[in-house]
Amino acid sequence: MEGAVDAFTQCASLDADRACDAALARLFHHNGLIQDAPPRYLRAVAAASSSMSCRGEGCVLRVPLLNDAAIALEATGNTQAAVALLREAVQLDPLNEQSVGNLALYLRDLGEVAESLKWGRRGVDI
């Protein structure tokens, strides 16, 4: 894992499109280092290469990236920021089950029960 982190860190320092940041964030996220993932996710989310219409090498699809970033943010205690990313994700893809479900759960955690139920019902409908 250390070698992969080093390689992606070096790649991220050279990568203006931030695809390496997304890969490094996911590496941290899925290997027990979730506390290190949010800053990398947020850099990748801010990059032009994470648009819905990108193609080719270095393309990072936006909705899955937003959802992954939201999961990492919530896991590290930043549920408000996670909800903001999920709102964007469901605006871009209102049928994305994962984003809709996570939005319902995180809104519930914030005490926004009525809106949580709305999104939960939408998730069941999907």
Side-chain angles (χ1 to χ4, degrees):
M1 163 106 166
E2 187 176 315
V5 169
D6 291 343
F8 281 122
T9 300
Q10 181 179 4
C11 176
S13 72
L14 303 171
D15 178 23
D17 288 334
R18 310 278 36 118
C20 292
D21 278 313
L24 184 57
R26 288 180 172 131
L27 182 70
F28 288 145
H29 186 157
H30 298 290
N31 285 286
L33 299 171
I34 199 159
Q35 72 281 358
D36 296 327
R40 296 298 183 161
Y41 275 127
L42 293 175
R43 284 176 59 177
V45 164
S49 67
S50 69
S51 71
M52 285 293 292
S53 61
C54 67
R55 288 190 174 86
E57 202 167 321
C59 177
V60 179
L61 294 177
R62 188 155 189 83
V63 171
L65 178 63
L66 290 167
N67 191 66
D68 288 349
I71 292 168
L73 285 165
E74 191 278 335
T76 56
N78 199 341
T79 306
Q80 284 285 0
V83 165
L85 294 181
L86 290 169
R87 288 186 192 282
E88 181 184 343
V90 298
Q91 183 178 12
L92 293 169
D93 183 359
L95 300 177
N96 185 285
E97 298 163 349
Q98 190 173 27
S99 296
V100 168
N102 286 339
L103 181 57
L105 291 173
Y106 299 168
L107 286 167
R108 180 205 61 201
D109 293 347
L110 292 174
E112 298 178 33
V113 177
E115 190 177 1
S116 171
L117 287 172
K118 177 189 116 181
W119 286 105
R121 287 184 190 104
R122 181 181 269 180
V124 170
D125 290 343
I126 295 173

